[in-house]
């Protein structure tokens, strides 16, 4: 409906909402044009334009509803909801697509909620008023608004599709062409080629040497600060998190992780889609990177990693012997287990494997196994020790346990001599009452997990601690899900799962 005599002569408040999607538009006349339109409209219709509460989402896209969820528009909607914006006020926008370019249902909901709350929405480009009264008199006005929203969403969807296709072509050209001008801090461009910055590359090697010697990131950072080594990118001291990020950055081996962004219910997810080896100049050898990665992982002893991964610091890849780690988002948007060697494109092609499938299989197998273990441990043994509740129990003979340990460690040492050359001794653990008590408690923990599942991070941390006390390490085939927990105080357990 065209705006005519509906606007009251008394000066009511009007608020301007201005938005553009790309930061580069700030250099144009978009903001000035939207501001001028709002002022001209307010003067023409006797409205008081509140300059102090002009809402602006500059460089914020309306395609995924980010402006309505987290931007200035969200602040305006909240002010309307709480009554800070009085009924009868006007919201001045250049056109409806500035309000939203989201899908039709969400875009319509924003306009409808504003109108029902008593706010008069004005589209300045076509001089249209959307109010409860105008839409009651002319219901076709809502149809017109829907057409505008549909067209705006289709335009944004087309641009998004073209951008995705462009990035797909770029990724397909890697490594023959440079994918992006953004480089890690230790690299630069020289004559169109990516080359190391000599001083930074040497410092990176020193950091990895120190980490391989067992120095934690905090100690490395303190040493660099004492020597007044300048930090990269910013003027400030080296921090533990900075060193840890470098140690965990796969790009130091020359690998380029590839990702793409997908949206589910307007929430952005960054999905990994592969790794390209040899894209960057190699600063750290892959073997060194994996050794340091393993050292740092074992130092954490589960910790925060175990909150999402009951196998933290326990599993090795059956193909190459590298650590198997949990990745929160895989190709299907769910948590997966991935080989550390494959993640840096180094001598392993093991695929990702569903974490949920392996955890479920582990609980199904270890539940009954733990129940048998508890019954076995708690058999009366007058010469044995008692647990914390005074119940007697005993273990299988040390010779049998040692046989499992020595045999399995020998097999691993033959396959992966660099990683398993020295097998840990279990003798001290097995002969002490402390060790026996832990075995009983750990079997109880795994039995409870098998019966009720692992629904909280605390339950996963406890189950991870039990597994690491009972088994020194394990092997998993990421192609089939076949998993064997090795060198255990009560033998070995084979697990198979279906993804």
């Amino acid at each position: 409906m065209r705006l005519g005599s509906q606007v009251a002569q008394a000066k009511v408040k009007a608020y301007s909402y201005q938005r553009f999607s790309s930061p580069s538009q700030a250099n144009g006349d978009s903001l000035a044009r939207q501001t001028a339109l709002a002022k001209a409209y307010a003067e023409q219709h006797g409205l008081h334009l509140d300059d102090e509460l002009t809402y602006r989402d500059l460089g914020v896209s309306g395609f995924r509803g980010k402006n309505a969820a987290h931007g200035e528009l969200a602040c305006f909607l909240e002010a309307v909801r709480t009554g800070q914006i009085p009924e009868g006020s006007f919201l001045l926008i250049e056109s409806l697509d500035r309000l939203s370019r989201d899908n039709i249902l969400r875009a319509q909901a924003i306009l409808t909620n504003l109108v029902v709350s008593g706010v008069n929405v004005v589209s300045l480009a076509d001089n249209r008023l959307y109010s409860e009264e105008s839409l009651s008199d002319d219901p076709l006005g809502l149809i017109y608004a829907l057409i505008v929203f549909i067209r705006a969403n289709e335009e944004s969807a087309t641009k998004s599709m073209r951008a995705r296709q462009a990035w797909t072509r770029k990724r397909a050209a890697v490594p023959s062409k440079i994918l992006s001008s953004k480089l890690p801090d230790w690299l630069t461009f020289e004559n169109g080629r990516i080359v190391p910055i000599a001083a930074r590359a040497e410092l990176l090697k020193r950091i990895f040497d120190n980490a391989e010697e067992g120095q934690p990131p905090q100690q490395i950072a303190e040493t660099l600060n004492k020597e007044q080594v300048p930090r990269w990118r910013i003027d400030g001291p080296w921090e533990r998190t900075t060193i840890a990020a470098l140690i965990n950055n796969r790009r130091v081996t020359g690998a380029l992780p590839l990702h793409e962004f997908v949206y589910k219910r307007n929430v952005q997810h960054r999905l990994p889609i592969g790794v390209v080896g040899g894209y960057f100049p190699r600063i750290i050898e892959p073997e060194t990177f994996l050794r340091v990665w393993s050292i740092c992982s074992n130092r954490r002893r589960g910790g925060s990693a175990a909150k999402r991964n009951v196998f933290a610091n326990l599993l090795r890849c059956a193909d190459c012997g590298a650590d198997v780690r949990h990745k929160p988002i895989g190709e299907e948007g769910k948590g997966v287990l991935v080989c550390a060697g494959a993640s840096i494109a180094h001598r392993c092609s093991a695929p990702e494997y569903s974490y949920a499938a392996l955890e479920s299989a582990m609980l199904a197998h270890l539940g009954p196994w733990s129940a048998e273990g508890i019954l076995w441990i708690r058999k009366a043994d007058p010469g044995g020790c008692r647990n914390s509740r005074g119940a007697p129990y005993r273990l299988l003979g040390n010779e049998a346990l040692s046989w499992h340990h020595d045999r399995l460690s020998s097999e691993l040492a033959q396959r992966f001599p660099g990683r398993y050359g020295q097998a840990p001794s279990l003798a001290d653990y097995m002969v002490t009452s402390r060790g026996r008590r832990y075995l009983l408690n750990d079997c109880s923990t795994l039995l409870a997990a098998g019966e009720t599942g692992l629904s909280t991070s605390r339950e996963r941390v406890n189950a991870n601690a039990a597994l690491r006390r009972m088994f020194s390490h394990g092997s998993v085939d990421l192609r089939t899900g076949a998993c064997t927990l090795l060198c255990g105080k009560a033998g070995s357990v084979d697990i198979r799962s279906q993804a």
Side-chain angles (χ1 to χ4, degrees):
M1 176 179 181
R2 296 286 175 179
L3 180 65
S5 59
Q6 290 191 54
V7 179
Q9 296 301 317
K11 282 200 172 185
V12 296
K13 281 194 173 184
Y15 304 89
S16 175
Y17 175 67
Q18 302 160 2
R19 184 191 65 78
F20 50 75
S21 300
S22 173
S24 61
Q25 292 177 269
N27 300 323
D29 64 346
S30 179
L31 182 60
R33 184 182 67 251
Q34 294 181 55
T35 302
L37 285 173
K39 288 183 177 180
Y41 183 90
E43 292 175 358
Q44 179 182 355
H45 295 90
L47 302 175
H48 172 63
L49 184 61
D50 194 329
D51 295 328
E52 295 182 359
L53 285 179
T54 295
Y55 294 86
R56 292 174 175 171
D57 281 322
L58 309 183
V60 179
S61 173
F63 179 41
R64 303 294 181 182
K66 186 176 180 181
N67 60 329
H70 310 292
E72 288 286 303
L73 180 59
C75 298
F76 182 82
L77 296 176
E78 179 63 16
V80 171
R81 189 186 69 82
T82 58
Q84 293 177 310
I85 304 296
E87 290 188 21
S89 298
F90 283 72
L91 176 64
L92 309 181
I93 54 177
E94 183 182 30
S95 61
L96 285 181
D97 64 347
R98 299 293 182 187
L99 192 66
S100 178
R101 300 180 77 91
D102 206 346
N103 71 60
I104 182 60
L105 294 178
R106 293 191 178 92
Q108 180 191 14
I110 294 174
L111 178 62
T112 302
N113 289 337
L114 286 171
V115 170
V116 171
S117 299
V119 176
N120 303 300
V121 179
V122 178
S123 172
L124 300 173
D126 52 12
N127 200 32
R128 282 184 175 271
L129 170 68
Y130 299 93
S131 66
E132 195 164 9
E133 181 181 354
S134 69
L135 292 177
S136 297
D137 294 341
D138 182 16
L140 293 179
L142 184 58
I143 303 298
Y144 179 83
L146 296 180
I147 293 173
V148 173
F149 285 136
I150 292 172
R151 186 185 70 246
N153 179 257
E154 288 179 346
E155 290 175 353
S156 294
T158 300
K159 292 178 181 178
S160 177
M161 179 189 65
R162 290 172 179 169
R164 288 198 304 271
Q165 290 175 344
W167 275 105
T168 299
R169 290 192 295 270
K170 286 184 178 182
R171 288 192 293 265
V174 173
S176 60
K177 292 184 178 180
I178 296 176
L179 183 64
S180 171
S181 60
K182 294 182 179 180
L183 294 176
D185 291 336
W186 59 89
L187 301 175
T188 187
F189 285 108
E190 186 176 290
N191 298 326
R193 296 172 56 248
I194 303 175
V195 297
I197 302 173
R200 294 186 176 184
E202 288 302 318
L203 179 57
L204 197 57
K205 293 178 181 178
R206 173 187 168 182
I207 290 172
F208 270 83
D209 288 342
N210 293 339
E212 192 171 7
E213 293 170 358
Q215 295 185 28
Q218 181 64 38
Q219 183 179 345
I220 297 174
E222 291 175 355
T223 301
L224 295 179
N225 290 330
K226 288 179 182 178
E227 297 177 5
Q228 297 184 345
V229 177
R231 182 175 168 180
W232 307 337
R233 189 182 302 182
I234 66 173
D235 184 15
W238 291 90
E239 298 176 356
R240 179 192 63 80
T241 53
T242 310
I243 301 299
L246 289 174
I247 291 174
N248 285 276
N249 195 329
R250 295 176 284 177
R251 293 167 179 82
V252 300
T253 66
L256 171 66
L258 297 179
H259 303 84
E260 68 176 356
F261 292 98
V262 299
Y263 290 84
K264 293 183 179 179
R265 297 185 62 85
N266 274 11
V267 177
Q268 187 183 75
H269 298 277
R270 185 170 179 259
L271 298 184
I273 57 175
V275 181
V276 177
Y279 178 81
F280 297 115
R282 178 178 293 176
I283 308 299
I284 304 298
E285 291 300 319
E287 291 81 1
T288 302
F289 180 83
L290 291 174
R291 283 197 299 270
V292 171
W293 210 355
S294 180
I295 290 171
C296 294
S297 178
N298 289 334
R299 185 183 295 119
R300 289 194 295 271
R301 300 180 63 82
S304 59
K307 293 180 180 179
R308 293 182 295 189
N309 177 20
V310 73
F311 304 106
N313 302 324
L314 187 66
L315 295 184
R316 307 287 185 263
C317 175
D319 285 357
C320 69
D323 293 344
V324 170
R325 294 193 162 202
H326 177 270
K327 190 163 58 175
I329 300 177
E331 293 183 358
E332 297 182 357
K334 298 179 181 179
V336 294
L337 294 172
V338 60
C339 168
S343 70
I344 59 173
H346 176 60
R347 297 191 308 181
C348 188
S349 58
E352 297 176 350
Y353 190 81
S354 168
Y355 168 78
L358 193 60
E359 180 185 279
S360 176
M362 183 274 292
L363 295 179
H365 283 72
L366 291 187
W369 179 85
S370 299
E372 294 177 5
I374 291 175
L375 295 175
W376 167 45
I377 291 172
R378 299 186 71 165
K379 288 181 180 178
D381 182 4
C385 64
R386 296 175 179 269
N387 65 15
S388 58
R389 297 182 180 178
Y393 53 85
R394 64 183 176 85
L395 292 173
L396 187 66
N398 290 346
E399 293 181 359
L401 289 171
S402 298
W403 181 84
H404 278 292
H405 179 268
D406 294 341
R407 178 178 63 84
L408 296 172
S409 294
S410 176
E411 291 178 1
L412 283 179
Q414 291 177 8
R415 291 189 63 187
F416 314 116
R419 179 176 296 274
Y420 300 117
Q422 296 293 328
S425 173
L426 304 180
D428 292 339
Y429 186 92
M430 290 187 296
V431 299
T432 63
S433 60
R434 175 181 174 85
R436 300 181 185 186
R437 177 169 58 82
Y438 269 128
L439 274 177
L440 182 63
N441 293 342
D442 292 339
C443 282
S444 300
T445 298
L446 296 179
L447 176 61
E451 291 177 344
T452 63
L454 299 174
S455 57
T456 67
S457 59
R458 173 50 55 188
E459 290 175 349
R460 282 193 174 86
V461 169
N462 291 339
N464 173 257
L467 286 172
R468 286 188 290 108
R469 281 192 292 264
M470 301 182 74
F471 303 97
S472 56
H473 41 263
S475 173
V476 60
D477 186 339
L478 294 174
R479 291 181 173 82
T480 64
C483 175
T484 302
L485 300 179
L486 305 171
C487 305
K489 283 80 172 175
S492 63
V493 177
D494 291 327
I495 299 174
R496 290 188 179 272
S497 60
Q498 297 293 329

